[in-house]
Amino acid sequence: MLKRGKVIRSYPDPALGLNMRPQSEPTCLEKTEGLTASEDYGTGLLENKLRVEDFVKIQQVFESQDPSQTICMPREEFIQKMTETVGWGTKEEYGELFDKVDVARDGLIDWDKLTSFILLSLYERDERAKATVVPQWKDLEFLPGKHKDTIQKVVFLKSSSRYLTISKEGLLGIWGENLKLQESLPITSDAIKLKHLWVTSLVSLENVNKIAVAFTSKEICFYDLLSKEEFPCQYKLQGLQGAPICMDYWYDPIDPKDSILSFGDITGKVQAIAFTAAVISLFERPANACDDEEATMAIDWAELVSGCHKCCHVLQHKHHHGEWVRQVTYNASLDAFISSTMSSTNTVVLAWREKSKKILKMTSFNIAQGIHAFDYHSRLNLIATAGINNKVCLWNPYVLSKPVGVLWGHSASVIAVQFFAERKQLFSFSRDKVLRLWDIQHQLSIQRITCPFPKSQDFRCLFHFDETHGRLFISFNNQLALLAIKNEASKRVKSHLKAVSCILYNSFLKQVISSDVGSTVSFWMIETGQKIKQFAGCHGNAEISTMALDANKTRLLTGSTDGTVKVWDFNGYCHHTLNVGQDGVVDISQILILKKTILVVGWERAVTVFRPQNFSQFFIQSEEWKGGVHHQDDILCAAFLPPQTLATGSYDGEIVLWNNNTENAHHVLHPGYQRQLTSMLDVEVQQLNARRSCATHCVADQATQAAGNVKIDTEGNNAVMRLCFLEARKTNAATGGANLVSCGASGYVRFWDIFKKVLMAEFLAHAGVGSIIMSTDKLNQYLATGDSDGWMKIWDIEEYCTNSTESKITQTPALLRSFQPHVDRISALEICESGGHLLIISSSADCSVCVTGLSNAPALIFGQASHWDIENYFSLPKWDTNLMESKIQEENVKVNPSFSKEELCLDSTEQSLLTEADKDSSTQNTRSSEEMNFSLKHKRRNIFKKKTLKPCYGEIVQKSTSTFRSLRLRTLKELPEVNKPAFLLDPDKYFKEAPDEDEPQIPELPLLSETLKAVFDEKSLFPKEFLYHESQAKPMCHETNGEMKIKRNKKQL
């Protein structure tokens, strides 16, 4: 028996669709963009060809005589034993199976790992199979209407694309195709007052643009939809012997003048009016009728039965013997009227029309306890009945003895059934408010839907499925509920069942972590796209809004709208729960994990801090953030620049800069102004802060004045959605370049210099799409942006805003690629490096997670049917260097120097490898020279980084690793030529043994004070900025030491 490992413990039991015989050998699947869920999911893979007998044999290989021991196999042993034990399959196939199971790359697998992988694969395959035949539903929605009594009917008007609803009190609701209520009109009978009148049914006469409404006054009124007035009553059929309670209308689409109106009443009669000239007139105008064409024409039922109206005739039968007729319909393919009652005798009656079209032949089904409703499928030739005895029965109209199928599964009486004709499926709805979808061919329940329907047990239910629009209407008394099928037009592969909210890349395990609004976290292998595990219900039903990894990449933190942040290990165990919202629902926008603190932003405009050294219990309460509240609106994002700079961005467009060590804010940046904040330090430190340069004071004064003139943004036009520090730009303090990037509403990207507190550049990245998000790589060479329409753009920012300028830059950086990997809003972006390739990972509200590269290769979707090899898929396309090499070198070195001088000093071996790689593809000229240039550039950088740095002669590699960014490093002067020392020129003189002679005495070195030409002075060695920071820190240090001494003295006392 298969055991389930911990990896898939959050999954339900999948249906083990194991084959009973081997299938054909696997075929190579092409990598295509936009894979659909209906594709064959790896039918040729070895794990899908293994039979139950094969798994029994494999299990015996892994069994140990000692139950407490677990047998683990390395790759070679597994391949050898499997080929010998199973008896079929190649060594390559078993090697691929081993690699798929060994996701941790530890070189060993056991029975639990193997069965976990097989069960997970079968679960995914089963889910894909279901997705092709089972509709996916949107959340239940209650339509706001004005009905005060039970809704009796819902119809759709094809001519005007509108819905009509009518309730028992006579109120007609007119709905647009978007299900917005357009108008509500009362429909009444002139003879009887509204309080004594009930409406029982409504049908649409599409071919003549009219509607027919049945009343308890034994009347049927016909209303004209094309009249300028509000639904005037054109005909009134009166004098019926019983009140009609159900109606149906049919017309011939080829010859619209032929139509039939059928209805059933409370006396057990089924009656029908067959119109032969419906397009011209339904009824003949009586001789005594008035000349006013808009006046209501009264039609007496007795006159119709007697044949006075030549344009129509009447058909009727009394085969239900006094039982209320609950439903009636006419079907043209059978040429018969079908009607039903709740009686156990003559439950369903079929009245077949004879050749004369005026005589009916009766057949009937007797169903125990009766039925509530029925439906007929003409292509399957089946009648489905909703039994009071909890059963759904399928009947052949020509077989009266017994049903051809019985669908079991409901635990209460079934009150409605309707066919999904296109898919050959059947809906059924029971009294306990359980909706089921059945596969008619296999007579199995393939979907069970339990929505938050009203809890009332006493209700009258109306069931109507609009197959054209994929909308299912269920009424509960006067409430109308809607279940809509999700749009399947795109048929894209889905990584999650719900919209993906966040993604992370674990560079240590080479895994992509994604979360969705349904509180599910999934783990994927970046190299193959394989899902390895999934945690469901991490925060119950609350949405996961953000995630973060700790510094060691061993703990995952998830933030949710339930006001908590949870700390997980990769086995799915929750170690701590951080209470951010104080037991309330909050919006957590981002989690920052620093060296000694965990910062959470987004709640009440404040920064919430947790200190891991105090995590001694499971539930952790937040601690005080000393800086207080400085934002005027919700905080949407945050970023950290070592060693101490923290930036937070808010909805109103303000970016607040903090000192993370002191937890105090010192500046506010905004596209329209900049201002300095009042510090919370003591008076002495404030005085030191006041001793800034005159230029700084002028900037602050101007910014404060400008801030007063800027109108407060209350619509979020400047909302900051993402912040990124350009940490790779270590010398920007000297060059004056930008080191902070922000993006957000209106599609703008802005570059800031946080040292000078100025906006250096801004450009419109995405026009007319609202807010955008972004991400950058570790070397800050590329910037990826994504918008609400699913479009992504990749920009080259390596040389963008690297030097200070007098005016703001509005020119855009070089656009490398623009494409649309998603069909809905991009929710998260992550740029990572794997296998020497720069990869962009994106998630979207379209439930997918994609990975793509810098080149034009199609995006890969996690969860697609075929796995991939990331190394080969995003490999650099080959080019004919005979035609392009000189142009590339000239462009890289002279026109647009993309490489530093260190990179041009690659050894000859590396250069020859690149040249050979370029020469191998003289035929694949499919991309522009600019695109090939930056792809080649990235590959050369990767090779260069893997080698030891070898500076060229005459050059000094400038690389500052100090944390003091304000230190200015200059190029050292060339050293003069140094003569070789004497012991190298004549080694025999110094190193040869000479016992007969005295050893030469080593001369004493002169003292340092004798050779020192100038006195060391700190002011001449260090820049002013460094000395200024040191002078600021000394008073704070003295104050801290003083406070500690006072506390110690108090404790001693």
Side-chain angles (χ1 to χ4, degrees):
M1 182 176 181
L2 297 177
K3 299 180 180 179
R4 301 176 64 190
K6 296 181 180 179
V7 175
I8 60 168
R9 66 186 182 283
S10 59
Y11 280 102
D13 291 330
L16 300 179
L18 300 176
N19 299 327
M20 299 309 295
R21 62 179 184 274
Q23 298 178 3
S24 59
E25 293 298 318
T27 57
C28 181
L29 297 176
E30 295 182 358
K31 299 179 177 68
T32 58
E33 188 172 13
L35 293 171
T36 64
S38 61
E39 290 180 355
D40 188 11
Y41 179 55
T43 55
L45 299 177
L46 177 64
E47 56 268 26
N48 294 329
K49 296 190 294 182
L50 292 172
R51 302 164 298 178
V52 176
E53 308 90 87
D54 299 329
F55 281 105
V56 174
K57 296 177 182 178
I58 296 173
Q59 183 182 16
Q60 293 174 355
V61 176
F62 282 95
E63 285 181 349
S64 174
Q65 296 180 353
D66 187 359
S68 61
Q69 292 182 355
T70 302
I71 295 180
C72 297
M73 292 186 188
R75 192 175 191 273
E76 297 300 326
E77 182 182 358
F78 175 82
I79 295 174
Q80 181 181 357
K81 288 190 176 182
M82 291 303 106
T83 52
E84 296 174 356
T85 304
V86 178
W88 61 272
T90 63
K91 293 184 178 181
E92 290 76 11
E93 288 178 324
Y94 286 106
E96 292 178 1
L97 177 60
F98 183 95
D99 295 336
K100 293 176 184 179
V101 176
D102 185 23
V103 293
R105 296 295 186 268
D106 54 10
L108 296 171
I109 65 171
D110 56 13
W111 175 246
D112 284 341
K113 289 183 179 180
L114 179 61
T115 53
S116 297
F117 168 77
I118 297 297
L119 288 172
L120 184 58
S121 300
L122 292 173
Y123 177 83
E124 291 182 347
R125 186 179 180 183
D126 185 58
E127 288 297 310
R128 282 186 176 86
K130 287 182 179 179
T132 61
V133 296
V134 178
Q136 302 298 316
W137 301 93
K138 297 180 181 179
D139 294 336
L140 181 70
E141 178 184 1
F142 283 92
L143 302 179
K146 296 183 178 181
H147 296 293
K148 297 180 180 179
D149 211 331
T150 304
I151 297 175
Q152 302 284 42
K153 199 67 175 290
V154 177
V155 297
F156 178 70
L157 303 178
K158 297 179 182 179
S159 58
S160 58
S161 298
R162 293 187 296 179
Y163 289 94
L164 298 180
T165 58
I166 196 164
S167 53
K168 190 163 63 173
E169 82 272 17
L171 189 65
L172 180 70
I174 305 173
W175 307 75
E177 194 171 10
N178 58 356
L179 295 179
K180 299 296 182 182
L181 183 62
Q182 297 177 347
E183 195 174 2
S184 295
L185 300 173
I187 291 184
T188 61
S189 174
D190 298 335
I192 303 175
K193 294 182 180 181
L194 180 62
K195 63 180 180 179
H196 302 297
L197 178 70
W198 279 3
V199 172
T200 58
S201 185
L202 175 144
V203 290
S204 171
L205 285 63
E206 285 282 342
N207 59 330
V208 293
N209 294 303
K210 293 177 176 58
I211 59 173
V213 181
F215 297 91
T216 54
S217 58
K218 303 179 182 179
E219 296 176 342
I220 298 178
C221 296
F222 297 82
Y223 297 87
D224 188 6
L225 298 177
L226 299 181
S227 176
K228 297 180 181 179
E229 298 182 5
E230 296 179 348
F231 295 109
C233 181
Q234 189 174 7
Y235 303 102
K236 182 187 295 183
L237 180 60
Q238 56 190 11
L240 298 174
Q241 296 180 1
I245 57 176
C246 59
M247 290 195 302
D248 179 71
Y249 184 78
W250 169 88
Y251 71 93
D252 189 348
I254 300 176
D255 189 5
K257 70 177 185 296
D258 292 332
S259 58
I260 296 176
L261 174 67
S262 55
F263 55 92
D265 60 22
I266 59 176
T267 64
K269 290 183 180 181
V270 174
Q271 304 166 98
I273 306 174
F275 300 98
T276 57
V279 177
I280 300 174
S281 177
L282 292 178
F283 305 99
E284 294 181 1
R285 179 176 289 273
N288 57 354
C290 60
D291 296 334
D292 187 3
E293 294 183 357
E294 295 184 358
T296 303
M297 185 178 6
I299 308 297
D300 187 67
W301 176 252
E303 294 179 357
L304 282 181
V305 175
S306 62
C308 296
H309 293 261
K310 303 299 181 183
C311 58
C312 61
H313 62 271
V314 175
L315 298 170
Q316 57 183 339
H317 72 81
K318 303 178 181 179
H319 209 58
H320 288 293
H321 305 297
E323 295 290 338
W324 285 25
V325 181
R326 298 291 178 175
Q327 186 178 349
V328 63
T329 186
Y330 171 77
N331 186 268
S333 61
L334 295 177
D335 197 11
F337 297 94
I338 310 174
S339 56
S340 67
T341 66
M342 298 176 65
S343 173
S344 58
T345 58
N346 294 336
T347 310
V348 177
V349 174
L350 281 82
W352 309 82
R353 297 176 70 185
E354 296 292 336
K355 292 182 180 181
S356 63
K357 302 295 183 182
K358 295 183 179 180
I359 302 175
L360 300 177
K361 178 182 178 181
M362 305 297 170
T363 60
S364 63
F365 303 127
N366 297 327
I367 304 175
Q369 301 181 28
I371 64 171
H372 282 111
F374 68 88
D375 194 21
Y376 176 72
H377 195 299
S378 57
R379 283 182 290 175
L380 296 177
N381 194 29
L382 288 177
I383 299 175
T385 56
I388 299 177
N389 57 359
N390 307 349
K391 294 185 294 185
V392 176
C393 295
L394 302 175
W395 303 81
N396 187 318
Y398 302 100
V399 180
L400 307 179
S401 57
K402 62 179 181 179
V404 295
V406 179
L407 307 180
W408 301 82
H410 284 288
S411 56
S413 62
V414 186
I415 58 178
V417 288
Q418 189 168 349
F419 279 103
F420 194 163
E422 181 183 359
R423 301 190 181 186
K424 299 180 180 179
Q425 297 169 350
L426 177 70
F427 290 104
S428 63
F429 190 70
S430 59
R431 178 64 63 178
D432 56 356
K433 302 169 187 174
V434 173
L435 176 65
R436 286 186 179 272
L437 182 63
W438 305 84
D439 185 316
I440 300 302
Q441 182 178 0
H442 299 92
Q443 298 185 13
L444 294 174
S445 175
I446 58 176
Q447 193 174 38
R448 181 181 184 271
I449 306 171
T450 55
C451 296
F453 295 121
K455 297 181 179 180
S456 174
Q457 297 298 325
D458 184 17
F459 64 91
R460 170 105 168 29
C461 176
L462 169 71
F463 193 88
H464 175 73
F465 178 58
D466 180 11
E467 187 170 340
T468 304
H469 297 85
R471 292 168 174 171
L472 178 62
F473 298 91
I474 306 176
S475 71
F476 299 89
N477 297 332
N478 64 331
Q479 290 182 292
L480 185 61
L482 170 67
L483 271 174
I485 298 178
K486 292 182 179 179
N487 185 17
E488 299 178 358
S490 62
K491 294 185 178 180
R492 287 176 56 87
V493 173
K494 293 183 178 181
S495 309
H496 285 251
L497 296 178
K498 295 187 177 181
V500 185
S501 58
C502 185
I503 53 172
L504 292 175
Y505 177 65
N506 190 330
S507 57
F508 179 70
L509 297 177
K510 295 183 179 181
Q511 295 176 3
V512 175
I513 308 172
S514 58
S515 64
D516 61 25
V517 298
S519 201
T520 298
V521 178
S522 298
F523 296 78
W524 316 81
M525 296 299 296
I526 186 67
E527 296 175 347
T528 61
Q530 176 186 350
K531 182 195 285 187
I532 56 175
K533 52 188 168 183
Q534 177 172 302
F535 304 148
C538 294
H539 290 262
N541 295 324
E543 172 186 349
I544 297 179
S545 56
T546 184
M547 296 190 298
L549 288 170
D550 68 345
N552 297 326
K553 312 289 185 182
T554 58
R555 291 289 186 269
L556 174 67
L557 279 74
T558 58
S560 173
T561 54
D562 63 359
T564 62
V565 174
K566 294 186 177 182
V567 184
W568 308 82
D569 60 22
F570 292 152
N571 291 323
Y573 178 75
C574 181
H575 292 266
H576 302 285
T577 297
L578 315 183
N579 191 358
V580 180
Q582 305 298 327
D583 299 328
V585 178
V586 299
D587 186 11
I588 299 175
S589 57
Q590 192 168 345
I591 303 171
L592 279 180
I593 302 179
L594 306 182
K595 188 174 182 180
K596 297 182 180 179
T597 57
I598 297 176
L599 304 181
V600 183
V601 298
W603 174 60
E604 290 190 355
R605 303 173 289 117
V607 179
T608 306
V609 61
F610 297 89
R611 309 186 193 280
Q613 61 268 23
N614 299 333
F615 287 8
S616 58
Q617 297 179 352
F618 181 78
F619 291 100
I620 309 298
Q621 300 297 327
S622 61
E623 301 186 23
E624 180 185 3
W625 176 258
K626 301 176 183 177
V629 177
H630 287 279
H631 281 283
Q632 306 300 319
D633 215 323
D634 293 336
I635 302 176
L636 303 180
C637 57
F640 181 73
L641 178 66
Q644 60 188 14
T645 304
L646 174 67
T648 54
S650 60
Y651 183 78
D652 56 5
E654 288 190 344
I655 300 174
V656 178
L657 301 179
W658 308 73
N659 185 321
N660 185 59
N661 293 339
T662 61
E663 298 182 0
N664 285 293
H666 52 82
H667 272 86
V668 172
L669 306 179
H670 189 275
Y673 57 86
Q674 292 81 41
R675 72 172 186 270
Q676 184 175 352
L677 294 173
T678 304
S679 177
M680 291 188 174
L681 302 177
D682 54 80
V683 178
E684 184 178 357
V685 177
Q686 291 184 17
Q687 292 175 353
L688 290 175
N689 289 338
R691 293 189 223 132
R692 294 188 177 271
S693 61
C694 180
T696 305
H697 280 293
C698 294
V699 172
D701 294 340
Q702 294 174 2
T704 305
Q705 185 177 359
N709 299 329
V710 174
K711 186 179 179 180
I712 298 176
D713 179 21
T714 58
E715 298 181 357
N717 295 325
N718 295 314
V720 183
M721 302 301 297
R722 293 291 188 276
L723 286 171
C724 292
F725 276 109
L726 304 178
E727 297 186 39
R729 300 186 178 186
K730 297 180 182 295
T731 59
N732 63 331
T735 60
N739 58 354
L740 176 65
V741 187
S742 67
C743 75
S746 303
Y748 277 90
V749 176
R750 296 181 172 91
F751 285 72
W752 307 82
D753 183 355
I754 64 169
F755 294 115
K756 296 182 179 179
K757 314 297 185 297
V758 294
L759 175 63
M760 294 193 61
E762 68 175 2
F763 65 91
L764 183 61
H766 299 259
V769 292
S771 62
I772 62 174
I773 62 172
M774 67 177 181
S775 180
T776 182
D777 62 314
K778 290 185 178 180
L779 298 179
N780 304 138
Q781 298 166 357
Y782 305 104
L783 180 74
T785 57
D787 62 26
S788 57
D789 290 338
W791 280 85
M792 186 191 303
K793 295 183 180 181
I794 304 175
W795 312 83
D796 186 353
I797 62 168
E798 185 176 10
E799 303 297 332
Y800 191 74
C801 285
T802 56
N803 298 306
S804 61
T805 56
E806 296 181 357
S807 60
K808 181 175 64 176
I809 300 173
T810 57
Q811 184 179 3
T812 63
L815 179 61
L816 304 180
R817 189 183 179 191
S818 177
F819 60 106
Q820 188 181 17
H822 300 279
V823 297
D824 205 340
R825 175 181 59 87
I826 296 179
S827 57
L829 287 172
E830 188 86 7
I831 300 182
C832 64
E833 186 174 352
S834 177
H837 300 281
L838 200 65
L839 305 177
I840 299 96
I841 307 170
S842 59
S843 64
S844 170
D846 64 4
C847 306
S848 66
V849 180
C850 295
V851 58
T852 186
L854 294 176
S855 62
N856 275 343
L860 300 171
I861 304 178
F862 289 95
Q864 68 183 43
S866 58
H867 295 160
W868 60 73
D869 183 357
I870 203 73
E871 178 70 22
N872 296 329
Y873 190 81
F874 290 113
S875 60
L876 181 68
K878 301 175 182 178
W879 288 80
D880 186 0
T881 54
N882 295 330
L883 300 175
M884 310 280 296
E885 187 177 15
S886 59
K887 185 184 295 186
I888 295 171
Q889 291 179 355
E890 181 181 355
E891 185 178 353
N892 288 342
V893 179
K894 295 181 180 180
V895 181
N896 184 16
S898 302
F899 303 122
S900 63
K901 293 182 179 180
E902 309 132 335
E903 298 177 8
L904 295 178
C905 295
L906 293 171
D907 55 54
S908 58
T909 304
E910 296 167 355
Q911 203 69 10
S912 63
L913 289 174
L914 290 176
T915 304
E916 290 298 326
D918 295 339
K919 288 180 179 179
D920 289 340
S921 64
S922 58
T923 60
Q924 298 183 10
N925 296 326
T926 57
R927 296 186 302 168
S928 64
S929 59
E930 178 185 2
E931 189 177 326
M932 183 273 299
N933 181 20
F934 74 77
S935 298
L936 180 62
K937 171 181 171 183
H938 182 69
K939 181 175 181 181
R940 284 177 173 168
R941 282 202 180 96
N942 293 332
I943 297 177
F944 176 76
K945 288 189 293 182
K946 295 178 182 178
K947 302 291 291 182
T948 305
L949 292 177
K950 298 179 180 179
C952 297
Y953 176 75
E955 294 182 357
I956 302 297
V957 178
Q958 298 181 7
K959 184 177 181 182
S960 174
T961 58
S962 172
T963 57
F964 304 102
R965 291 179 175 80
S966 58
L967 290 179
R968 299 182 180 180
L969 303 180
R970 299 179 180 177
T971 306
L972 299 177
K973 296 180 179 179
E974 294 185 1
L975 296 175
E977 185 178 356
V978 179
N979 296 327
K980 292 184 179 181
F983 65 86
L984 290 179
L985 296 175
D986 191 4
D988 294 339
K989 180 179 179 181
Y990 294 93
F991 300 107
K992 186 177 181 180
E993 295 182 0
D996 298 336
E997 300 179 2
D998 296 335
E999 294 181 359
Q1001 295 182 354
I1002 300 174
E1004 296 182 359
L1005 296 175
L1007 298 175
L1008 182 62
S1009 59
E1010 297 177 1
T1011 59
L1012 189 63
K1013 296 181 179 180
V1015 180
F1016 284 101
D1017 185 10
E1018 290 184 352
K1019 294 182 179 180
S1020 63
L1021 285 176
F1022 298 97
K1024 293 181 180 181
E1025 292 85 351
F1026 178 76
L1027 298 174
Y1028 176 72
H1029 288 300
E1030 184 182 14
S1031 62
Q1032 282 187 319
K1034 282 183 179 180
M1036 296 178 60
C1037 183
H1038 291 317
E1039 179 190 359
T1040 304
N1041 293 335
E1043 292 178 355
M1044 294 298 295
K1045 290 180 181 179
I1046 293 173
K1047 291 181 180 179
R1048 290 173 184 172
N1049 294 335
K1050 288 182 179 180
K1051 289 181 179 180
Q1052 292 177 0
L1053 293 176

